[in-house]
Amino acid sequence: MTVMEIDRIKMADSNDELTLDMMFEALEKMPVPEGIKVEIVEGNIFMSPQRDTHWEIIRRIVRALEDRFGMNVKVLSDVRIDFPGYNNGLVPDVVRIAQDAQKTAGGRWRCEDAEFVAEVISKGTAANDFGPKKRAYAIAGVPVYLIVDPYNGKCHVFTEPKGEEYRVKTTIKFGLPVDLTGTAADLILATDEFPRD
């Protein structure tokens, strides 16, 4: 199925817009190659390839969460969660869900249960991570949002969400630990072995 075909989906009411479910259903029918991440940000479809560097950083973050909280920690990677805003079917690189969280009747995790989100930027989608996704995470009340930038060798930590913004931003260079103790993430993340792009 092509993007043109998505436009042809028949709607019950001509004034209706495509819902996120309809958009993802159409995308699932498309021949998207393995290793391509697909998400919808503010109604726009983004496809980005998973790079070695990208995955290596994601793996290290997931491992740090498992080391800190055990193998039963609710940590996900590349799983759709709908966030506030216009058609935000986001697919965080890493998200830790509250341990007592339950899926909705529709089988999805609720954005309100996200305690920590990490995104590893790609050149083509970095503006989303710093813009609409950061705004959606703040509105949802995600307590800790981490952006890892392998191009500049920096981690950006956003905490204390209020409205559409985070009140606190901290930047840490690769090689230094990212101390998230005292936050909902409650771990120290080593960055000395994060690869650079």
Side-chain angles (χ1 to χ4, degrees):
M1 180 172 285
T2 67
V3 176
M4 296 279 299
E5 289 175 289
I6 292 173
D7 290 336
R8 293 188 196 128
I9 295 174
K10 299 222 186 272
M11 312 286 281
D13 178 355
S14 62
N15 293 327
D16 286 349
E17 294 183 16
L18 286 176
T19 66
L20 280 172
D21 286 342
M22 293 168 70
M23 293 170 78
F24 274 104
E25 185 179 308
L27 286 167
E28 287 173 7
K29 294 176 184 175
M30 291 177 65
V32 178
E34 285 291 319
I36 300 294
K37 176 179 170 176
V38 179
E39 65 184 339
I40 301 172
V41 181
E42 294 187 328
N44 296 301
I45 299 167
F46 290 89
M47 296 183 185
S48 53
Q50 190 82 290
R51 300 175 334 278
D52 292 359
T53 300
H54 195 92
W55 170 242
E56 181 69 19
I57 293 170
I58 291 169
R59 187 178 64 81
R60 290 182 183 281
I61 294 170
V62 169
R63 179 65 186 266
L65 288 164
E66 290 172 345
D67 287 349
R68 171 68 180 91
F69 298 104
M71 290 300 293
N72 292 325
V73 65
K74 287 187 178 172
V75 62
L76 311 167
S77 181
D78 291 345
V79 173
R80 173 188 164 193
I81 300 175
D82 295 344
F83 280 86
Y86 174 73
N87 280 345
N88 280 324
L90 306 182
V91 183
D93 290 327
V94 179
V95 60
R96 190 181 91 203
I97 303 292
Q99 206 57 31
D100 61 349
Q102 299 292 318
K103 288 185 177 182
T104 66
R108 287 203 191 78
W109 296 105
R110 296 172 347 112
C111 66
E112 296 86 354
D113 292 324
E115 297 179 330
F116 168 72
V117 171
E119 297 283 8
V120 181
I121 68 167
S122 299
K123 284 185 180 179
T125 59
N128 287 338
D129 296 327
F130 284 101
K133 290 171 80 170
K134 184 176 83 163
R135 186 169 43 257
Y137 295 147
I139 293 168
V142 175
V144 182
Y145 175 39
L146 170 69
I147 298 177
V148 181
D149 179 351
Y151 303 102
N152 294 306
K154 294 180 181 176
C155 293
H156 305 278
V157 180
F158 300 89
T159 56
E160 298 184 28
K162 183 172 182 174
E164 295 185 357
E165 296 292 328
Y166 282 93
R167 290 184 279 183
V168 178
K169 176 188 176 189
T170 308
T171 300
I172 300 104
K173 292 181 180 181
F174 281 17
L176 299 174
V178 177
D179 187 351
L180 300 173
T181 56
T183 71
D186 193 28
L187 80 145
I188 296 176
L189 181 63
T191 66
D192 52 323
E193 294 188 30
F194 278 8
R196 302 262 318 244
D197 243 347

